[in-house]
Amino acid sequence: MSRSSCHLFLFLLLFSLFPFPLLARPFVLVLSQDDLKDVQNDDASPLDSDSSLDDDDFGGTHVKPDDELDPGSWRRLFEPPTTLLSPSHDTSLDSYYAAVHKIISASNNGDARLMEEAAAEIETAANTDGDPHARSVLGFLYGMGMMRERNKAKAFLNHYFAAEGGNAQSKMALAYTYSRQDMHEKAVKLYAELAEIAVNSFLISKDSPVIEPIRIHNGAEENKEALKKSRGEDDEDFQILEYQAQKGNAGAMYKMGLFYYFGLRGLRRDHTKALMWFLKAVDKGEPRSLELLGEIYARGAGVERNYTKALEWLSLASEHGLYSAYNGMGYLHVKGYGVEKNYTKAKEYFDKAADNEDAGGHYNLGVMYLKGIGVKRDVKIACKCFIVAANAGQPKAFYQLAKMFRTGVGLKKNLPMATALYKLVAERGPWSSLSRWALESYLKGDMGKAFLLYSRMAELGYEIAQSNAAWILDKYGERSMCMGESGVCTDAERHQRAHSLWWQASEQGNEHAALLIGDAYYYGRGTVRDYERAAEAYIHAKSQSNAQAMFNLGYMHEHGQGLPFDLHLAKRYYDQALELDPAAKLPVTLALASLWVRKNYADCFLVHVIDSLPEVYPRVEEWVENVIMEEGNATILTLFVCLLTVLYLRERQRRHAIAAAGAHEPNEHVVPAAR
């Protein structure tokens, strides 16, 4: 592959990390000529310290339990182990989990006394015993201002020492804090470590389905459609699917296996049930189950690990045209698991997968060329392979591109880009289980528990958790069981906390959050009224092509609030809002009519009526979306049109009268008094 063709390929490439919609909008990465580093293929530039010339980057089948990958996790409280713990287990954790259990119960019931008791126990374990997991929770309490004064410095120190003690969630919280402050050297180091943990849990053959945190709201309304699909075994559609599977439908059996294996649609992962359904599906002739059975035996998920059986299942899958199965076969040959190590045969399998447009095949070839495993090392080819894989949504490829941006191998060093890519991968680590527990609590109506879990996850930098927690505060108020510094949150504490959460979500591209931040500053809700900062927030939302933000900016220009009084700019924003959202035709039409009245009848009483509307309806957004469209408000619209008609007829009558009198310079801004 020539250098010029590689450069052209990269220069023209535009890809979106679509499978990771943890941001409000898809993360878009554009690589240009400036991003490329002109390196020779024998370049001795060092890779990451964890990227020596070996075969580790193919991923691993040596998957550790989530409790080992995420020490101090609350999994024991939400997913109790099915087997009894060994008598030799760490008894110091018993008191830690007992305190956390009290925190969860107190949050769900609004019990301030129990919360204070639990917070005191956590503080003792953190400061006296030096327990890193207790320090992590104490950092959370200080960061949120729960039964302790809200203190970012104390929150940071506790998370720092917890991370030093091995707590992964505190590492996530620290990395997010560093990235917000543009301290990319520190952020990238932590995110790289966490991303590696996540990558090692991915499948060896095909891409794992992306289990997204569910956004429980859609703008100002509950996201009923998404919630309906997340009710697990209580969902009617799932029950129908289960019935079909029990009646012998092979496709339904395969889907049942998928749901249980990956924990989709709100189900708890259950490898035993997944294995049962996959085996039944194979017996009914469903070939897609063959590949998953190969994965199960290679990883030892619910069964004793058996590489020979894994290769047999994967080989059968490849014979049925499941080209991603070649990746698993190639992996076994690279590692020498169940077969003799053979790099040549491994490359042949990866080539077959890549030739059939399988993202995993491109990724694995990229690793071979990057490390010089079985082929001559060629960083340029590796870079191309990773980009193709990333363009298809392969998370391991994001990880490798992050390494390249971090080290400057193959791509020019770019720590902000490396940080962003590592973060996307790290957020798929085992700590993401917080989202599943929060959603389960929300669906059960346990708002306090849901809010606590989303708040904990928000601290780790998950945008959806930030917006979910803020939405619960706004939607449910006192029912959110928000805990403040000395008890259940006051109204002021709720507004302040919601404002902080929305602000963090807006920083990560959530346009609805930016709108709400703008509204908060515009109306002085939970903060000091500040039209200029409101305009900044609306401009941030507008940058993401948000019609409501366009409308609000037009309104502020029309009234000179936080922005220069400019009717021409106001009209431009109103027009753009209509271009972006045809459903805005009525409010935009009314706004344009308002501009016409303001321009031609600046002192007319109708202008004062128009100006008073935002005071009568204290939210511009609600006024536009709800008030004008509600049943019964047709009268308001009719009166508005009638007034415009009267003004127009009077103006025409006045012009005719002046023309008949021979006047040459009529004053267009004077309206004769009614007789």
Side-chain angles (χ1 to χ4, degrees):
M1 178 178 177
S2 68
R3 177 179 302 176
S4 60
S5 62
C6 183
H7 283 192
L8 178 62
F9 177 85
L10 290 166
F11 182 74
L12 296 177
L13 184 68
L14 168 68
F15 70 86
S16 167
L17 309 187
F18 180 75
F20 291 87
L22 299 181
L23 300 180
R25 287 182 172 272
F27 181 91
V28 177
L29 174 63
V30 182
L31 296 183
S32 68
Q33 188 75 29
D34 293 337
D35 293 309
L36 303 176
K37 182 176 180 181
D38 191 13
V39 296
Q40 301 298 320
N41 289 328
D42 60 351
D43 180 30
S45 301
L47 297 172
D48 285 341
S49 60
D50 60 341
S51 301
S52 55
L53 297 182
D54 54 31
D55 56 3
D56 287 345
D57 282 356
F58 289 102
T61 57
H62 301 290
V63 181
K64 297 179 180 178
D66 285 346
D67 282 337
E68 291 185 35
L69 298 175
D70 185 18
S73 165
W74 298 353
R75 181 170 288 99
R76 183 185 300 185
L77 302 176
F78 289 93
E79 298 180 17
T82 55
T83 58
L84 294 176
L85 295 174
S86 168
S88 62
H89 75 276
D90 188 355
T91 56
S92 66
L93 286 178
D94 290 343
S95 58
Y96 162 73
Y97 281 114
V100 173
H101 179 70
K102 289 181 182 179
I103 289 176
I104 295 170
S105 299
S107 296
N108 204 43
N109 301 319
D111 190 335
R113 183 197 58 79
L114 183 62
M115 176 63 82
E116 175 57 41
E117 179 183 323
E121 292 176 5
I122 286 292
E123 189 165 30
T124 298
N127 296 334
T128 304
D129 303 332
D131 179 12
H133 310 314
R135 285 188 181 276
S136 180
V137 175
L138 186 60
F140 170 58
L141 296 179
Y142 275 118
M144 295 298 293
M146 297 172 60
M147 310 312 292
R148 295 292 181 272
E149 78 278 10
R150 190 166 182 263
N151 190 314
K152 292 183 178 180
K154 289 184 177 181
F156 176 85
L157 283 175
N158 277 285
H159 280 307
Y160 178 83
F161 288 115
E164 289 290 307
N167 187 279
Q169 294 188 28
S170 280
K171 291 180 183 180
M172 282 288 288
L174 281 180
Y176 175 58
T177 299
Y178 288 139
S179 65
R180 290 188 72 194
Q181 299 174 358
D182 294 330
M183 300 171 68
H184 299 296
E185 285 279 1
K186 293 184 176 182
V188 79
K189 181 180 180 180
L190 288 169
Y191 275 135
E193 179 184 341
L194 295 161
E196 183 180 5
I197 294 174
V199 165
N200 285 332
S201 68
F202 296 162
L203 300 187
I204 63 171
S205 178
K206 60 190 297 181
D207 295 341
S208 307
V210 178
I211 305 174
E212 307 170 16
I214 300 298
R215 196 179 299 280
I216 62 177
H217 66 101
N218 186 8
E221 301 298 326
E222 187 176 66
N223 193 354
K224 296 185 183 298
E225 187 62 28
L227 294 175
K228 179 179 179 295
K229 296 178 180 179
S230 306
R231 296 186 177 276
E233 295 179 348
D234 295 329
D235 179 32
E236 291 182 5
D237 291 341
F238 174 82
Q239 292 171 357
I240 293 172
L241 182 71
E242 185 178 34
Y243 175 78
Q244 293 173 338
Q246 291 171 345
K247 290 296 183 181
N249 184 302
M253 292 175 177
Y254 169 71
K255 289 183 179 179
M256 289 288 292
L258 279 182
F259 288 175
Y260 279 116
Y261 189 71
F262 295 109
L264 303 178
R265 299 291 292 266
L267 290 172
R268 293 285 179 90
R269 284 180 297 176
D270 190 322
H271 291 154
T272 302
K273 287 185 178 180
L275 176 63
M276 176 194 72
W277 285 116
F278 285 141
L279 288 172
K280 287 186 175 183
V282 166
D283 289 340
K284 289 289 185 178
E286 171 52 69
R288 291 175 295 178
S289 295
L290 296 168
E291 185 177 4
L292 272 302
L293 287 170
E295 286 281 352
I296 285 174
Y297 278 102
R299 295 164 65 88
V303 296
E304 184 178 351
R305 180 176 286 133
N306 188 319
Y307 293 121
T308 302
K309 282 190 175 181
L311 183 61
E312 291 174 358
W313 287 116
L314 291 169
S315 298
L316 286 173
S318 66
E319 292 172 7
H320 283 80
L322 297 171
Y323 299 109
S324 57
Y326 285 120
N327 290 313
M329 297 167 67
Y331 173 86
L332 295 177
H333 282 82
V334 161
K335 292 285 192 178
Y337 291 156
V339 294
E340 184 178 348
K341 184 177 289 190
N342 189 324
Y343 293 148
T344 301
K345 185 164 285 189
K347 183 178 182 299
E348 290 178 3
Y349 287 134
F350 294 150
D351 277 329
K352 286 183 179 180
D355 289 343
N356 287 279
E357 301 182 357
D358 180 79
H362 287 287
Y363 169 79
N364 289 324
L365 286 174
V367 173
M368 295 194 81
Y369 280 106
L370 180 66
K371 303 300 182 73
I373 299 173
V375 295
K376 182 180 179 180
R377 187 179 183 221
D378 193 319
V379 176
K380 296 184 183 70
I381 293 180
C383 185
K384 174 187 172 182
C385 290
F386 291 144
I387 290 173
V388 172
N391 194 36
Q394 195 2 300
K396 296 178 189 176
F398 305 153
Y399 177 66
Q400 292 296 344
L401 288 173
K403 280 188 178 182
M404 289 181 158
F405 277 122
R406 181 188 180 188
T407 60
V409 173
L411 294 169
K412 284 188 177 179
K413 192 170 183 177
N414 187 330
L415 291 185
M417 186 63 71
T419 300
L421 291 172
Y422 273 136
K423 181 176 185 288
L424 288 171
V425 180
E427 287 181 341
R428 293 189 63 183
W431 34 87
S432 64
S433 296
L434 284 163
S435 177
R436 183 170 69 249
W437 306 329
L439 180 61
E440 289 176 355
S441 301
Y442 180 84
L443 291 173
K444 293 177 182 177
D446 297 335
M447 296 305 159
K449 188 185 296 185
F451 173 71
L452 177 77
L453 293 168
Y454 279 131
S455 296
R456 173 64 165 174
M457 198 175 182
E459 186 185 41
L460 309 189
Y462 288 83
E463 181 275 316
I464 289 183
Q466 291 163 354
S467 63
N468 283 351
W471 186 82
I472 289 175
L473 284 174
D474 286 345
K475 179 75 172 180
Y476 292 95
E478 293 182 358
R479 287 183 56 201
S480 66
M481 300 299 174
C482 164
M483 285 292 174
E485 293 185 3
S486 58
V488 177
C489 285
T490 63
D491 288 343
E493 285 178 317
R494 276 199 305 274
H495 282 307
Q496 186 277 331
R497 194 171 296 180
H499 181 81
S500 176
L501 288 163
W502 283 127
W503 185 265
Q504 292 176 56
S506 71
E507 287 180 340
Q508 300 198 70
N510 186 316
E511 61 190 43
H512 177 68
L515 281 171
L516 291 179
I517 290 296
D519 288 348
Y521 281 120
Y522 187 92
Y523 297 109
R525 286 199 297 267
T527 186
V528 178
R529 175 175 285 191
D530 189 328
Y531 289 138
E532 291 185 359
R533 297 197 73 174
E536 290 175 3
Y538 290 143
I539 290 172
H540 178 69
K542 169 244 178 185
S543 68
Q544 300 175 64
S545 301
N546 184 280
Q548 180 67 62
M550 300 282 193
F551 186 94
N552 291 356
L553 289 169
Y555 183 89
M556 296 180 78
H557 272 301
E558 181 183 351
H559 294 82
Q561 296 174 330
L563 293 171
F565 176 79
D566 192 324
L567 298 183
H568 294 289
L569 270 179
K571 183 179 185 304
R572 183 181 302 174
Y573 277 123
Y574 288 144
D575 290 339
Q576 289 176 354
L578 183 58
E579 290 176 6
L580 288 171
D581 186 1
K585 183 174 183 179
L586 177 58
V588 169
T589 300
L590 292 174
L592 293 174
S594 169
L595 284 179
W596 181 84
V597 172
R598 192 177 303 279
K599 181 178 180 181
N600 293 281
Y601 300 98
D603 297 324
C604 176
F605 78 95
L606 190 57
V607 173
H608 300 295
V609 172
I610 294 170
D611 289 343
S612 69
L613 284 174
E615 298 299 327
V616 176
Y617 303 105
R619 286 172 61 100
V620 174
E621 181 180 5
E622 290 179 356
W623 174 55
V624 172
E625 294 184 352
N626 302 324
V627 175
I628 296 298
M629 300 302 295
E630 284 181 358
E631 184 179 356
N633 287 329
T635 303
I636 297 175
L637 180 59
T638 303
L639 290 174
F640 192 90
V641 174
C642 288
L643 287 170
L644 290 177
T645 304
V646 169
L647 286 172
Y648 170 75
L649 292 174
R650 282 191 169 189
E651 175 66 11
R652 190 172 70 168
Q653 182 183 19
R654 184 181 66 82
R655 289 177 180 273
H656 287 168
I658 292 174
H664 298 289
E665 294 182 355
N667 185 347
E668 295 183 354
H669 298 289
V670 176
V671 181
R675 296 176 183 176

